[in-house]
Amino acid sequence: MNEGAPPASLVENSTWLLIARTAALVASAAVTVIAVRTLTTPEYGRFAFVITLVTLAVSLSELGINALATRQMVEDPQSARRILGIALGAEIATSVVAAVCLFIAAIAFQRDARTLALIPIACVVVLLQGAIAAFDAPFQARRLLRPVASFGLIQSAVLLGVGTTVLLVGFGAPGLMAATAVANGAAAAAAFHRLRRLQIGPAYPLAGRDPGAFVRSVRAFIRSAALIAVTGTFATIYERIDVLLVSHYRGPRGVAFYSAALSIVVTLYVIPAAISTAYYPLLTAQMARAREAARESFALLFRVFILVSVPLAILLGFAAPTLVRIAFGPRYQLSGVVLQILSPILVLSFVNYICWQALLAAHREGGKAAIVAVALVLNVALNLALIPAHGVRGAAYSLLATETLVAVVQAVVVHRQVFPLQLRRLFAAPLVAGAIAAAAVVAVPLGPDVLQGALASAIYVATLLVLRYVSAEEWRPVTQPLRALTARART
């Protein structure tokens, strides 16, 4: 794609990824609701505990491999097949290590036979997810994310169909874990088949003549990905250590109440995750060829993220009790309180995603690793202090505090080490809009919390539009590709 096409490619790729991840959101939410309503509270708590371990193990197995492979393929497209082969070998090696760590962690935190019975299936989930991550890299490097979206759609459809079936039939948590493995396997198979059709399948030029050389290449690749891996692993740990500590102090019931709320927030990460994934290869290319263009595109996307995320967080905070009651039933009333505490994290996640892409594209992953390491220490300390005294509310406050720290420090590092940001342009108008929205809610009480949240969100967005926080000219590169996509969909 030529250099004049980045806005169109970003919007089109983001749209496809949003479609896929929205489908994943719907599938995951539907399966979660069915699981919560059909499983006993302790059984759902065991499943949520193992899924947390799977998330941690996947972060270890991926070990920054996808991000490094994508960056190398953008910078050296002629070596894409060789890079893919090495990346896949690295994924297999790290997945084996991650599976062993998963098993050890399960025994250390919860020696329950019914929990441990889920672990072998969970190890398969980890291995297949690592393969998917490696297979996605060539498409991301070429900015061809429609195939990546299709693999996600397959994964979601299989999870929804098989997961719902096994729950309704009565196979419980083991059946749902097996359904997750089947869904990952279907996506991995589809990705591998598409790579072979496009003749960009993995190549192993050294494996036949000198297997030792291939092993050394894999080791070197893993070492190069280490800082990215440390960052991702630390971030995942501090986002999930609260679940493990809740399990230790409050048992499966506490895990169920906390995880139900956390799952809603994490599910909404689909929006910044999809857009930033599409933006990363574009930003990497801009950083190498036109740094000023990279700064401008980053600032624009940052403002769009603020415009979108704050009203979503406001609405989520107000609607949390109603949303949880509808989704999970009256048993999970405590989850509504937790969700209200966690709702600001939605804004912080948008900031963290885009700042991480900027640091990664600028080869500044070491700085992010240091930030997340400090946040991890803070998170563990806060959890140890707050969970025994305040239960799941304490875990929510701990996560909110560490996410805030990461967002602020990460933005400062981008400003100082990557490219200078116009801080007044980014933050003055949102602060004014927030103050006006808060004053309006206080002055005009509407009764139901959902209506108050809708009013505050609408006023916030309207104020930013009036202040031209994102101008009509800046919206045009977004609206034109969307109109083209809509027109093609109708034909």
Side-chain angles (χ1 to χ4, degrees), residues 266-277:
V266 172
T267 303
L268 291 174
Y269 288 0
V270 61
I271 303 172
I275 297 174
S276 61
T277 298

Side-chain angles (χ1 to χ4, degrees), residues 166-250:
V166 297
L167 286 171
L168 296 179
V169 169
F171 287 108
L176 184 54
M177 189 64 67
T180 305
V182 171
N184 283 8
F192 183 74
H193 177 68
R194 185 62 179 269
L195 284 170
R196 295 297 297 270
R197 282 182 55 193
L198 296 178
Q199 297 182 342
I200 52 175
Y204 307 96
L206 302 174
R209 299 192 304 271
D210 185 359
F214 177 72
V215 171
R216 289 191 294 273
S217 298
V218 169
R219 288 176 180 171
F221 191 91
I222 292 175
R223 285 196 298 270
S224 298
L227 280 177
I228 301 173
V230 168
T231 300
T233 301
F234 280 177
T236 304
I237 289 173
Y238 94 73
E239 289 175 356
R240 295 295 186 269
I241 193 69
D242 43 9
V243 177
L244 302 183
L245 292 174
V246 167
S247 173
H248 176 73
Y249 286 110
R250 299 288 170 159

